[in-house]
Amino acid sequence: MKIALDISNTQSLHSSTGRYIYLLLQKYLEFYPEQEYVLYRLMGIRNLSFDKKFLPGGTNCCQIRTIPFIGRYANTIRRFWHFDDLFLKDIDIFHGYARNIPLFFRKKKKIFLTIYDIIPLIYPEFFEKRFRAQWFEFSKTIQYAQFDRIIAVSECTQRDLVNVLGVPQEKIKVIPLAVAPEFVEPVDPHELKKILSELGLNEEYILVVGRLEPRKNIPRIIQAYELVRSNKNFLGKLVIVGNSYPLSKPVFDAYFSSPYKNDIMILKYVSSKTLRCLYQGALVLAFVSLYEGFGFPILEAFASGIPVVTSKKSSLPEVGGEAALYVEPQDVISIAEGLKEVVQDETLRKALVQKGKEKLKEFSWKKTAQETFELYLK
C-alpha cells in the first residue's frame, strides 16, 4: 500500500502541523515499515531540511514529491486542473491536513483529512482578512470534496464540523493527539536552574504558552495576574511564551499599561529545550484560551509535572478531564480566582499534578497512529 501524507502546511517541526505529521510518520515507520510512504508538498514550505529534521530515517525511508505551485492558490487551481491526479496517480491513500483537499482522482483512492479545528469559521474576528478568505474558500470546497473520512482531533471539533459545515457525523472519526515525547523527559536539575537563571527567572512564575493572537485571551490573563499581585496573593512573575501575530496589539497594550510590567516577560521564540525548562520550572500553567480544537499545552504541562488552570470552553475540558482547574475565560475575576487558588494551595497543586500524570496515560502517539492506520483499512 502506498500512502501519501500531505505536508503542504508544514512550516517547521514546532508547528502543530509539523509535529503531527512528523510523529505520525515516526510511528508508521515503526509499526508499519512494509508500507510505502510519500511526503506530498506544494511549494511555499520554508525552514525545513527534510532529510535531517523531518524524515526519521533520512530520505531513503520514503519519497518526497514537490508540486511547483504556491500553496495558498492550490485549491483554486484544482478547480481548473486536477494536478493531484498527475502527481499522485500511483498512490492508494491520500492523507491531507486542514484545508488542502484534492478534488479529483481518475483512479479511486481513499482520501482522509485531519482537521484540528474550524475556528476561523466560528470566530472570524480573531483572524486576518486574508486568512478568513482562505477558510471561506475551504468551507465551500469541503461540501463537494470526495473524502472518505475526516479525522477530528476532539469531540468539540467533530461537533463544529457537523453543526457549522454540515459534515455527516458518520463521516467523522475522533482520534485525539498526544504530547511530544521529549516533554516527558525531565531536564537535569542543574541545567534547568542554569537556563532559567539566564532568562532571569530565579523566583516563582506563572507560565502562559501560546501565540500572541486574540483567541489565546492573553490580555485577560495579564489583568488577572494584576489582580492576584495587587492582593498580594502571589509575588512572582508572569512568563508568556509565544510568537507575535498581526493581531497581537492588544497583548502588547495590556503589557505596556500594566503596573507590573517589570515582572511580566514575553518570550517570542524559545528552543524546544528552553520551553521544556520553562514548563518544568513553572508553578502553574495558565492556558485560558477562548477556543481550541485540542490544546497541546495542557498535555505538555501534565508531562512536565505542573498544574493547569484552563478554560471551561471548547475542547479543553476533554483534554484536561478532572486533572485541571477550570475558569470562565471571559471573566477576569474568575481567572484571577483560579490562579489564586492554585498558587496558594500546595496540596491542590500536588493533587492536580498527580491527576495530570494519570490523565496523560490516555494519550499516546502509538494509539493515535494505530487508530489512524486502522481507518485506512476500513
Side-chain angles (χ1 to χ4, degrees):
M1 187 163 62
K2 185 172 285 189
I3 301 166
L5 298 174
D6 171 41
I7 55 172
S8 297
N9 294 317
T10 303
Q11 298 292 334
S12 77
L13 296 183
H14 295 292
S15 70
S16 58
T17 319
R19 179 166 41 186
Y20 175 74
I21 297 295
Y22 175 71
L23 292 170
L24 197 65
L25 181 59
Q26 277 191 323
K27 293 302 176 184
Y28 281 177
L29 293 172
E30 179 181 350
F31 296 109
Y32 313 104
E34 70 282 0
Q35 309 299 333
E36 294 183 74
Y37 300 97
V38 174
L39 296 185
Y40 180 62
R41 59 176 176 170
L42 309 178
M43 268 182 62
I45 298 176
R46 302 176 298 279
N47 303 327
L48 267 185
S49 173
F50 285 91
D51 57 337
K52 295 180 180 178
K53 292 182 180 178
F54 198 85
L55 297 177
T59 54
N60 293 329
C61 68
C62 55
Q63 300 176 40
I64 297 176
R65 296 185 189 175
T66 302
I67 314 305
F69 297 123
I70 301 300
R72 60 188 289 190
Y73 301 117
N75 283 331
T76 302
I77 296 171
R78 280 186 171 103
R79 298 189 179 186
F80 305 99
W81 180 32
H82 301 133
F83 58 84
D84 303 288
D85 191 52
L86 174 65
F87 287 92
L88 296 174
K89 59 184 178 182
D90 58 331
I91 63 110
D92 303 298
I93 302 285
F94 178 88
H95 187 161
Y97 184 93
R99 305 183 307 279
N100 187 26
I101 314 175
L103 298 179
F104 175 81
F105 282 121
R106 246 181 283 272
K107 177 186 174 184
K108 173 62 178 172
K109 306 175 191 307
K110 289 185 176 180
I111 301 177
F112 298 86
L113 272 181
T114 292
I115 296 182
Y116 269 37
D117 59 67
I118 56 168
I119 298 172
L121 300 176
I122 302 171
Y123 293 106
E125 65 272 20
F126 290 166
F127 300 89
E128 298 176 86
K129 183 178 180 180
R130 177 178 63 84
F131 200 67
R132 294 199 303 265
Q134 290 175 7
W135 275 88
F136 178 71
E137 184 72 17
F138 165 73
S139 69
K140 294 188 297 182
T141 300
I142 200 169
Q143 294 175 8
Y144 53 79
Q146 298 178 344
F147 57 85
D148 287 79
R149 295 290 288 274
I150 285 179
I151 298 168
V153 301
S154 65
E155 299 284 349
C156 175
T157 296
Q158 181 187 51
R159 288 193 299 272
D160 291 342
L161 287 166
V162 172
N163 297 333
V164 178
L165 291 180
V167 178
Q169 186 161 335
E170 63 271 15
K171 283 278 191 177
I172 306 169
K173 170 71 173 176
V174 176
I175 303 179
L177 308 178
V179 70
E182 62 265 23
F183 282 96
V184 182
E185 296 297 323
V187 179
D188 176 80
H190 297 291
E191 190 173 10
L192 176 66
K193 184 177 180 180
K194 178 177 179 292
I195 290 176
L196 294 181
S197 181
E198 289 173 350
L199 292 170
L201 293 172
N202 298 307
E203 56 194 293
E204 293 180 333
Y205 59 91
I206 296 168
L207 180 65
V208 178
V209 176
R211 191 165 62 167
L212 310 183
E213 60 178 290
R215 70 186 174 95
K216 299 299 182 180
N217 207 26
I218 296 173
R220 287 193 181 95
I221 297 175
I222 291 175
Q223 293 167 17
Y225 169 73
E226 292 169 359
L227 285 177
V228 174
R229 282 295 305 269
S230 64
N231 292 328
K232 294 184 170 51
N233 300 128
F234 178 70
L235 301 178
K237 293 180 181 286
L238 177 67
V239 179
I240 302 166
V241 182
N243 290 330
S244 294
Y245 186 69
L247 302 179
S248 294
K249 185 176 182 296
V251 176
F252 291 105
D253 288 346
Y255 165 72
F256 284 115
S257 64
S258 175
Y260 301 101
K261 66 181 179 182
N262 290 337
D263 288 327
I264 300 174
M265 298 176 61
I266 297 180
L267 305 174
K268 291 186 180 180
Y269 173 81
V270 297
S271 67
S272 178
K273 181 68 169 290
T274 300
L275 181 60
R276 288 169 56 206
C277 290
L278 287 166
Y279 268 113
Q280 293 179 27
L283 187 65
V284 58
L285 173 74
F287 188 64
V288 195
S289 180
L290 295 172
Y291 212 92
E292 292 287 337
F294 187 71
F296 274 118
I298 294 178
L299 295 187
E300 291 167 354
F302 289 168
S304 302
I306 64 169
V308 175
V309 173
T310 192
S311 167
K312 60 177 66 173
K313 302 292 186 180
S314 64
S315 65
L316 300 178
E318 288 181 56
V319 180
E322 296 181 357
L325 189 147
Y326 296 96
V327 297
E328 173 53 58
Q330 293 179 311
D331 185 344
V332 172
I333 294 176
S334 175
I335 299 170
E337 287 296 323
L339 292 175
K340 172 187 171 183
E341 189 175 352
V342 174
V343 299
Q344 289 195 323
D345 190 336
E346 184 179 1
T347 301
L348 173 62
R349 291 200 302 273
K350 288 181 177 178
L352 289 174
V353 168
Q354 185 56 44
K355 289 179 180 178
K357 291 178 180 177
E358 292 302 313
K359 183 65 177 177
L360 194 64
K361 295 176 183 178
E362 299 178 17
F363 304 89
S364 77
W365 279 105
K366 175 182 177 181
K367 181 180 178 183
T368 299
Q370 288 178 336
E371 289 187 12
T372 304
F373 197 89
E374 287 170 5
L375 200 61
Y376 296 162
L377 304 177
K378 292 183 178 179

